């Protein structure tokens, strides 16, 4: 299956960096927005693109909205494909920039 | 004189008091309405996604995010951001295409061709600068090419051109 092209813009790289730093952590949109400093208007189309390309997957958190008294969060996690693609992208960037992206 | 000064001072105090009360009421009203407005904006934004599955999913997801936004203005900014994002997502999922009806194009081009030919016959050739005649020729040739293309498309069963 061929995945659609993902445009590696600065916000996309910020989001991918968050996930690649903690590949097992599942994060909600609000958390990603806060940590990456990206507004909702940019974040959700970006997450939808990454999910559509198979780089991220998402699932509802396992809480009962009635008991919790709030809507369920959608939690995103990076896939194996996403990890490989992100590492490739960051390696390419390191080659271009000459500095490790992780350290920035 | 003292009485006039006293009157004006009292008036200023009264107006200041009234303005403070009014601004307090406005503040209360705006504070109460902002979360409602933010929710409404998110509902409308989710509705832009068209597909039922997407609408339900993103509505719940964005409302959950709304609950985590600090402050009422933060909630409003999140809602407006989501509105903008939903428009982009909808555009990406349902790209708008320009659809041209080939039959209509054929009719319109034929009318243009007929009008151009009639105009060409109605003008006097004598004295008309040759660049003008070349322009007419180009217009007629263009219309003919468009008519031939449209006719070929119709013969192949293609009724629309999508751009």
């Amino acid at each position: 299956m061929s995945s659609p092209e993902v445009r590696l813009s600065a916000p996309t790289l910020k989001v991918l960096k968050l996930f690649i730093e903690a590949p097992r952590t599942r994060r909600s949109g609000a958390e990603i927005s806060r940590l990456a400093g990206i507004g909702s208007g940019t974040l959700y189309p970006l997450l939808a693109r990454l999910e559509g390309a198979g780089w991220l997957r998402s699932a509802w958190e396992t809480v009962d909205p009635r008991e919790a008294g709030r809507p369920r969060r959608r939690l995103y996690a990076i896939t194996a494909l996403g990890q490989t693609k992100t590492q490739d992208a960051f390696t390419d960037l390191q080659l271009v920039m000459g500095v490790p992206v992780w350290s920035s | 004189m003292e009485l006039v000064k006293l009157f004006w001072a009292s008036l200023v105090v009264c107006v200041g008091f009234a303005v403070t009360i009014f601004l307090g009421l406005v503040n209360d009203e705006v504070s109460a309405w902002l979360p409602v407005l933010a929710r409404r904006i998110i509902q409308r934004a989710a509705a832009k996604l068209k597909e039922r599955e997407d609408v339900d999913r993103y509505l719940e997801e964005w409302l959950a995010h709304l609950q985590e936004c600090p402050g009422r203005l933060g909630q409003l900014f999140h809602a407006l951001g989501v509105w903008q994002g939903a428009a982009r997502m909808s555009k990406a999922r349902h790209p708008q295409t320009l659809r041209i009806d080939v039959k209509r194009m054929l009719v319109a081009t034929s009318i243009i061709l007929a009008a151009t030919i009639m105009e060409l016959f109605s003008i006097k050739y004598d004295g008309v600068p040759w660049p003008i005649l070349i322009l007419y020729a180009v217009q007629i040739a263009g219309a003919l090419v468009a008519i031939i293309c449209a006719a070929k498309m119709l013969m192949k069963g293609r009724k629309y051109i999508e751009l």
Side-chain angles (χ1 to χ4, degrees):
Chain A
M1 191 183 85
S2 64
S3 60
E5 275 299 304
V6 173
R7 195 165 56 88
L8 293 169
S9 59
T12 311
L13 290 172
K14 279 184 187 173
V15 170
L16 290 172
K17 185 172 174 261
L18 266 183
F19 280 108
I20 207 78
E21 280 171 350
R24 293 189 174 200
T25 311
R26 299 191 307 154
R27 297 183 193 280
S28 68
E31 195 183 351
I32 301 166
S33 172
R34 199 174 52 248
L35 294 172
I38 301 170
S40 311
T42 305
L43 180 67
Y44 286 101
L46 188 160
L47 290 175
R49 273 201 305 276
L50 289 174
E51 200 179 352
W55 292 29
L56 295 183
R57 63 186 147 77
S58 70
W60 292 114
E61 66 174 338
T62 47
V63 294
D64 184 356
R66 284 179 203 161
E67 279 179 21
R70 58 168 178 78
R72 288 174 301 171
R73 294 185 186 109
R74 188 87 182 173
L75 300 175
Y76 293 86
I78 194 161
T79 61
L81 173 73
Q83 284 187 46
T84 313
K85 294 276 190 183
T86 305
Q87 274 158 357
D88 289 350
F90 280 132
T91 308
D92 290 348
L93 269 177
Q94 283 176 43
L95 290 174
V96 174
M97 305 293 287
V99 286
V101 176
W102 327 103
S103 63
S104 62
Chain B
M1 195 67 184
E2 286 298 315
L3 210 61
V4 174
K5 275 186 185 174
L6 190 68
F7 168 75
W8 282 112
S10 313
L11 191 68
V12 167
V13 169
C14 286
V15 169
F17 193 63
V19 167
T20 309
I21 290 173
F22 178 72
L23 287 179
L25 286 173
V26 169
N27 181 38
D28 284 352
E29 202 66 19
V30 169
S31 299
W33 279 100
L34 276 182
V36 179
L37 180 67
R39 282 181 71 91
R40 286 279 163 84
I41 293 172
I42 289 175
Q43 282 166 352
R44 289 287 173 97
K48 279 187 190 181
L49 299 175
K50 292 184 182 111
E51 271 138 41
R52 192 71 253 166
E53 205 177 297
D54 285 342
V55 173
D56 294 342
R57 173 197 156 166
Y58 283 103
L59 180 61
E60 190 167 0
E61 186 174 355
W62 291 337
L63 287 176
H65 187 157
L66 183 74
Q67 302 251 322
E68 293 180 58
C69 289
R72 293 189 168 102
L73 272 181
Q75 290 184 343
L76 185 66
F77 285 133
H78 163 65
L80 292 173
V82 154
W83 173 270
Q84 185 197 1
R88 279 195 216 161
M89 286 163 76
S90 175
K91 209 172 172 183
R93 280 160 200 237
H94 311 282
Q96 286 179 343
T97 51
L98 180 63
R99 207 172 187 213
I100 300 169
D101 188 324
V102 178
K103 268 187 194 170
R104 285 184 184 176
M105 191 182 90
L106 186 65
V107 171
T109 319
S110 304
I111 292 169
I112 291 170
L113 179 67
T116 312
I117 291 170
M118 280 159 65
E119 196 181 339
L120 189 60
F121 277 115
S122 69
I123 61 168
K124 292 173 182 171
Y125 293 109
D126 293 338
V128 176
W130 62 268
I132 301 287
L133 290 175
I134 288 176
L135 281 178
Y136 274 107
V138 168
Q139 200 173 332
I140 289 168
L144 277 172
V145 168
I147 287 169
I148 292 165
C149 290
K152 274 187 178 177
M153 285 178 74
L154 283 175
M155 281 193 290
K156 285 180 185 172
R158 283 188 64 186
K159 291 180 180 173
Y160 299 99
I161 301 171
E162 285 187 346
L163 300 172

